[in-house]
Amino acid sequence: MDDLALVLTIGGLAVFAGAVVQGGVGFGMGLVAAPVLTLLDPSVMPGAIQVANLTLPLFTLASEWRRVDWRGLGFAVLGRVPGGLVGGAVVVYISIHHLSLFIGVMVLVAVVLTARAVSLPRNGLTTTTAGFVSGVTGTATGIGGPPIALVYQSAKGPQIRATLAMFFFLSAAQSLVILAAVGRLPALALGTGAALLVPMIAGFLVSAPLRRYLDGGKVRAAVLVVAALSALVLIVQTLASS
């Protein structure tokens, strides 16, 4: 099996699993799939996962767009725009290994603090800050879910999925433009991302029963578990490759 076939096979399974998680929880595809794709072929990242990040939210929005928290989304995008620009600079000037390790540690810290509290305050400051951090990490690594998801952890299932879906769609669009502008969006990354749309769609379709289960008040716990597991994967991946 050649390298491209390996990426499409194993990477496709990771994207499928990530789409199942994101379809149910509201985020998680980048967290699940980005470490796997990076290990398989770093040259297609983060562009390949951003192609999927741009497409998957449209399926959620098609059915739940009315539940978007537009005010919160505005604050998140306000922080995401400059954060995306910083993320573009990170891709060019800073080692991705150091950034990934930092992301993993910070997500674990956030999960621990959040799990011990009743809820994380959701206001203009926290949402804008989460948007900024998500912009940096999302553009640099393709993983921008945890900061904004932790802010929305106490929201109801449809609202968190719809709001995060709109945020991720706008975020991926900005990241792709920035990556192209700094010369970090090769044709191979776009082609790989397009090929991974098939397992992504399949994963989203499979997530329908999961959504009904999580809407029974289990979204917050699911968000924390996915964030913590993904952070551990990032840390292990970074240490193993350093």
Side-chain angles (χ1 to χ4, degrees):
M1 183 178 293
D2 58 32
D3 292 343
L4 180 57
L6 191 65
V7 170
L8 295 181
T9 302
I10 299 179
L13 290 174
V15 168
F16 172 84
V20 172
V21 173
Q22 182 158 324
V25 178
F27 82 111
M29 183 170 65
L31 287 164
V32 175
V36 176
L37 290 171
T38 302
L39 286 173
L40 292 171
D41 188 356
S43 69
V44 303
M45 291 294 290
I49 196 64
Q50 290 295 4
V51 173
N53 285 338
L54 180 72
T55 309
L56 181 57
L58 298 177
F59 292 91
T60 298
L61 291 171
S63 60
E64 296 185 316
W65 65 270
R66 294 177 182 84
R67 303 304 299 270
V68 173
D69 174 19
W70 294 104
R71 182 177 181 276
L73 178 68
F75 283 115
V77 172
L78 181 65
R80 212 288 176 186
V81 172
L85 298 176
V86 174
V90 168
V91 169
V92 176
Y93 297 111
I94 297 179
S95 165
I96 199 68
H97 298 294
H98 293 128
L99 178 65
S100 297
L101 183 61
F102 176 75
I103 294 169
V105 172
M106 289 299 100
V107 170
L108 282 181
V109 170
V111 168
V112 170
L113 293 177
T114 302
R116 293 178 62 86
V118 174
S119 64
L120 188 68
R122 186 168 83 241
N123 52 46
L125 178 60
T126 58
T127 308
T128 302
T129 301
F132 177 83
V133 177
S134 180
V136 176
T137 62
T139 301
T141 69
I143 301 172
I148 196 72
L150 288 172
V151 171
Y152 273 91
Q153 59 168 307
S154 60
K156 293 183 178 179
Q159 184 184 55
I160 188 173
R161 287 193 299 267
T163 305
L164 266 60
M166 183 62 75
F167 177 76
F168 292 153
F169 172 75
L170 298 173
S171 298
Q174 182 198 15
S175 293
L176 286 169
V177 170
I178 292 173
L179 290 172
V182 300
R184 296 301 178 92
L185 189 62
L188 180 60
L190 292 174
T192 301
L196 292 173
L197 295 183
V198 174
M200 180 210 75
I201 294 172
F204 177 81
L205 295 175
V206 170
S207 71
L210 183 64
R211 288 196 296 274
R212 290 193 293 269
Y213 173 76
L214 292 173
D215 284 346
K218 302 176 180 65
V219 171
R220 181 175 183 270
V223 166
L224 295 177
V225 169
V226 172
L229 291 176
S230 301
L232 289 172
V233 169
L234 273 177
I235 292 171
V236 172
Q237 172 203 349
T238 303
L239 294 176
S241 60
S242 62

PDB file of all heavy atoms in Angstrom, residues 115-133:
ATOM      1  N   ALA A 115     -14.379  20.824  34.968  1.00  0.00           N
ATOM      2  CA  ALA A 115     -15.042  19.700  35.604  1.00  0.00           C
ATOM      3  C   ALA A 115     -15.284  19.948  37.089  1.00  0.00           C
ATOM      4  O   ALA A 115     -16.241  19.435  37.663  1.00  0.00           O
ATOM      5  CB  ALA A 115     -14.215  18.425  35.414  1.00  0.00           C
ATOM      6  N   ARG A 116     -14.430  20.753  37.698  1.00  0.00           N
ATOM      7  CA  ARG A 116     -14.558  21.025  39.130  1.00  0.00           C
ATOM      8  C   ARG A 116     -15.541  22.151  39.407  1.00  0.00           C
ATOM      9  O   ARG A 116     -15.972  22.333  40.537  1.00  0.00           O
ATOM     10  CB  ARG A 116     -13.196  21.378  39.725  1.00  0.00           C
ATOM     11  CG  ARG A 116     -12.215  20.203  39.725  1.00  0.00           C
ATOM     12  CD  ARG A 116     -10.876  20.634  40.282  1.00  0.00           C
ATOM     13  NE  ARG A 116     -10.969  21.067  41.667  1.00  0.00           N
ATOM     14  CZ  ARG A 116     -10.900  20.277  42.721  1.00  0.00           C
ATOM     15  NH1 ARG A 116     -10.740  18.964  42.546  1.00  0.00           N
ATOM     16  NH2 ARG A 116     -10.991  20.738  43.939  1.00  0.00           N
ATOM     17  N   ALA A 117     -15.908  22.885  38.382  1.00  0.00           N
ATOM     18  CA  ALA A 117     -16.832  24.006  38.558  1.00  0.00           C
ATOM     19  C   ALA A 117     -18.227  23.612  38.069  1.00  0.00           C
ATOM     20  O   ALA A 117     -18.393  22.665  37.311  1.00  0.00           O
ATOM     21  CB  ALA A 117     -16.348  25.227  37.790  1.00  0.00           C
ATOM     22  N   VAL A 118     -19.220  24.370  38.517  1.00  0.00           N
ATOM     23  CA  VAL A 118     -20.579  24.126  38.059  1.00  0.00           C
ATOM     24  C   VAL A 118     -20.690  24.427  36.573  1.00  0.00           C
ATOM     25  O   VAL A 118     -21.260  23.678  35.798  1.00  0.00           O
ATOM     26  CB  VAL A 118     -21.581  24.988  38.859  1.00  0.00           C
ATOM     27  CG1 VAL A 118     -22.985  24.838  38.288  1.00  0.00           C
ATOM     28  CG2 VAL A 118     -21.548  24.603  40.328  1.00  0.00           C
ATOM     29  N   SER A 119     -20.120  25.538  36.155  1.00  0.00           N
ATOM     30  CA  SER A 119     -20.123  25.908  34.742  1.00  0.00           C
ATOM     31  C   SER A 119     -19.063  26.968  34.510  1.00  0.00           C
ATOM     32  O   SER A 119     -18.651  27.674  35.428  1.00  0.00           O
ATOM     33  CB  SER A 119     -21.495  26.433  34.302  1.00  0.00           C
ATOM     34  OG  SER A 119     -21.800  27.641  34.988  1.00  0.00           O
ATOM     35  N   LEU A 120     -18.627  27.062  33.272  1.00  0.00           N
ATOM     36  CA  LEU A 120     -17.669  28.099  32.895  1.00  0.00           C
ATOM     37  C   LEU A 120     -18.461  29.313  32.437  1.00  0.00           C
ATOM     38  O   LEU A 120     -19.367  29.182  31.598  1.00  0.00           O
ATOM     39  CB  LEU A 120     -16.781  27.591  31.754  1.00  0.00           C
ATOM     40  CG  LEU A 120     -15.598  28.469  31.362  1.00  0.00           C
ATOM     41  CD1 LEU A 120     -14.559  28.487  32.473  1.00  0.00           C
ATOM     42  CD2 LEU A 120     -14.973  27.957  30.065  1.00  0.00           C
ATOM     43  N   PRO A 121     -18.187  30.508  32.987  1.00  0.00           N
ATOM     44  CA  PRO A 121     -18.962  31.690  32.591  1.00  0.00           C
ATOM     45  C   PRO A 121     -18.910  31.908  31.083  1.00  0.00           C
ATOM     46  O   PRO A 121     -17.851  31.794  30.472  1.00  0.00           O
ATOM     47  CB  PRO A 121     -18.255  32.832  33.343  1.00  0.00           C
ATOM     48  CG  PRO A 121     -17.556  32.168  34.486  1.00  0.00           C
ATOM     49  CD  PRO A 121     -17.155  30.817  33.992  1.00  0.00           C
ATOM     50  N   ARG A 122     -20.054  32.209  30.493  1.00  0.00           N
ATOM     51  CA  ARG A 122     -20.106  32.498  29.069  1.00  0.00           C
ATOM     52  C   ARG A 122     -20.559  33.933  28.885  1.00  0.00           C
ATOM     53  O   ARG A 122     -21.732  34.255  29.041  1.00  0.00           O
ATOM     54  CB  ARG A 122     -21.056  31.528  28.346  1.00  0.00           C
ATOM     55  CG  ARG A 122     -21.020  31.695  26.826  1.00  0.00           C
ATOM     56  CD  ARG A 122     -21.718  30.551  26.122  1.00  0.00           C
ATOM     57  NE  ARG A 122     -23.156  30.715  26.033  1.00  0.00           N
ATOM     58  CZ  ARG A 122     -24.040  29.895  26.559  1.00  0.00           C
ATOM     59  NH1 ARG A 122     -23.636  28.868  27.273  1.00  0.00           N
ATOM     60  NH2 ARG A 122     -25.323  30.109  26.415  1.00  0.00           N
ATOM     61  N   ASN A 123     -19.609  34.788  28.607  1.00  0.00           N
ATOM     62  CA  ASN A 123     -19.899  36.202  28.385  1.00  0.00           C
ATOM     63  C   ASN A 123     -19.030  36.717  27.239  1.00  0.00           C
ATOM     64  O   ASN A 123     -18.301  35.945  26.608  1.00  0.00           O
ATOM     65  CB  ASN A 123     -19.662  37.010  29.673  1.00  0.00           C
ATOM     66  CG  ASN A 123     -18.287  36.749  30.277  1.00  0.00           C
ATOM     67  OD1 ASN A 123     -17.273  36.753  29.561  1.00  0.00           O
ATOM     68  ND2 ASN A 123     -18.233  36.517  31.582  1.00  0.00           N
ATOM     69  N   GLY A 124     -19.101  38.032  27.000  1.00  0.00           N
ATOM     70  CA  GLY A 124     -18.356  38.587  25.887  1.00  0.00           C
ATOM     71  C   GLY A 124     -16.860  38.347  25.985  1.00  0.00           C
ATOM     72  O   GLY A 124     -16.204  37.999  24.999  1.00  0.00           O
ATOM     73  N   LEU A 125     -16.307  38.500  27.187  1.00  0.00           N
ATOM     74  CA  LEU A 125     -14.870  38.356  27.370  1.00  0.00           C
ATOM     75  C   LEU A 125     -14.418  36.910  27.178  1.00  0.00           C
ATOM     76  O   LEU A 125     -13.460  36.646  26.434  1.00  0.00           O
ATOM     77  CB  LEU A 125     -14.467  38.836  28.767  1.00  0.00           C
ATOM     78  CG  LEU A 125     -12.977  38.692  29.116  1.00  0.00           C
ATOM     79  CD1 LEU A 125     -12.120  39.496  28.145  1.00  0.00           C
ATOM     80  CD2 LEU A 125     -12.736  39.138  30.573  1.00  0.00           C
ATOM     81  N   THR A 126     -15.098  35.983  27.842  1.00  0.00           N
ATOM     82  CA  THR A 126     -14.674  34.575  27.738  1.00  0.00           C
ATOM     83  C   THR A 126     -14.883  34.035  26.326  1.00  0.00           C
ATOM     84  O   THR A 126     -14.060  33.270  25.810  1.00  0.00           O
ATOM     85  CB  THR A 126     -15.444  33.694  28.735  1.00  0.00           C
ATOM     86  OG1 THR A 126     -16.846  33.807  28.497  1.00  0.00           O
ATOM     87  CG2 THR A 126     -15.143  34.093  30.162  1.00  0.00           C
ATOM     88  N   THR A 127     -15.965  34.430  25.666  1.00  0.00           N
ATOM     89  CA  THR A 127     -16.233  33.933  24.322  1.00  0.00           C
ATOM     90  C   THR A 127     -15.249  34.511  23.313  1.00  0.00           C
ATOM     91  O   THR A 127     -14.768  33.800  22.420  1.00  0.00           O
ATOM     92  CB  THR A 127     -17.674  34.264  23.899  1.00  0.00           C
ATOM     93  OG1 THR A 127     -18.584  33.805  24.907  1.00  0.00           O
ATOM     94  CG2 THR A 127     -18.026  33.596  22.584  1.00  0.00           C
ATOM     95  N   THR A 128     -14.928  35.805  23.452  1.00  0.00           N
ATOM     96  CA  THR A 128     -13.947  36.418  22.549  1.00  0.00           C
ATOM     97  C   THR A 128     -12.569  35.804  22.755  1.00  0.00           C
ATOM     98  O   THR A 128     -11.844  35.529  21.794  1.00  0.00           O
ATOM     99  CB  THR A 128     -13.878  37.937  22.781  1.00  0.00           C
ATOM    100  OG1 THR A 128     -15.177  38.510  22.577  1.00  0.00           O
ATOM    101  CG2 THR A 128     -12.895  38.594  21.813  1.00  0.00           C
ATOM    102  N   THR A 129     -12.203  35.585  24.012  1.00  0.00           N
ATOM    103  CA  THR A 129     -10.906  34.964  24.309  1.00  0.00           C
ATOM    104  C   THR A 129     -10.842  33.547  23.747  1.00  0.00           C
ATOM    105  O   THR A 129      -9.842  33.145  23.145  1.00  0.00           O
ATOM    106  CB  THR A 129     -10.671  34.922  25.828  1.00  0.00           C
ATOM    107  OG1 THR A 129     -10.716  36.256  26.352  1.00  0.00           O
ATOM    108  CG2 THR A 129      -9.318  34.297  26.154  1.00  0.00           C
ATOM    109  N   ALA A 130     -11.921  32.789  23.932  1.00  0.00           N
ATOM    110  CA  ALA A 130     -11.969  31.436  23.381  1.00  0.00           C
ATOM    111  C   ALA A 130     -11.860  31.459  21.864  1.00  0.00           C
ATOM    112  O   ALA A 130     -11.188  30.616  21.259  1.00  0.00           O
ATOM    113  CB  ALA A 130     -13.254  30.737  23.809  1.00  0.00           C
ATOM    114  N   GLY A 131     -12.509  32.441  21.231  1.00  0.00           N
ATOM    115  CA  GLY A 131     -12.428  32.575  19.785  1.00  0.00           C
ATOM    116  C   GLY A 131     -11.015  32.860  19.323  1.00  0.00           C
ATOM    117  O   GLY A 131     -10.546  32.317  18.305  1.00  0.00           O
ATOM    118  N   PHE A 132     -10.302  33.706  20.081  1.00  0.00           N
ATOM    119  CA  PHE A 132      -8.917  34.034  19.734  1.00  0.00           C
ATOM    120  C   PHE A 132      -8.015  32.797  19.828  1.00  0.00           C
ATOM    121  O   PHE A 132      -7.256  32.493  18.902  1.00  0.00           O
ATOM    122  CB  PHE A 132      -8.393  35.128  20.665  1.00  0.00           C
ATOM    123  CG  PHE A 132      -6.941  35.474  20.414  1.00  0.00           C
ATOM    124  CD1 PHE A 132      -6.591  36.354  19.409  1.00  0.00           C
ATOM    125  CD2 PHE A 132      -5.938  34.901  21.185  1.00  0.00           C
ATOM    126  CE1 PHE A 132      -5.255  36.662  19.165  1.00  0.00           C
ATOM    127  CE2 PHE A 132      -4.603  35.198  20.952  1.00  0.00           C
ATOM    128  CZ  PHE A 132      -4.257  36.099  19.935  1.00  0.00           C
ATOM    129  N   VAL A 133      -8.108  32.088  20.956  1.00  0.00           N
ATOM    130  CA  VAL A 133      -7.286  30.879  21.143  1.00  0.00           C
ATOM    131  C   VAL A 133      -7.624  29.841  20.085  1.00  0.00           C
ATOM    132  O   VAL A 133      -6.740  29.196  19.507  1.00  0.00           O
ATOM    133  CB  VAL A 133      -7.489  30.299  22.558  1.00  0.00           C
ATOM    134  CG1 VAL A 133      -6.695  28.999  22.719  1.00  0.00           C
ATOM    135  CG2 VAL A 133      -7.045  31.312  23.610  1.00  0.00           C
TER     136      VAL A 133
END
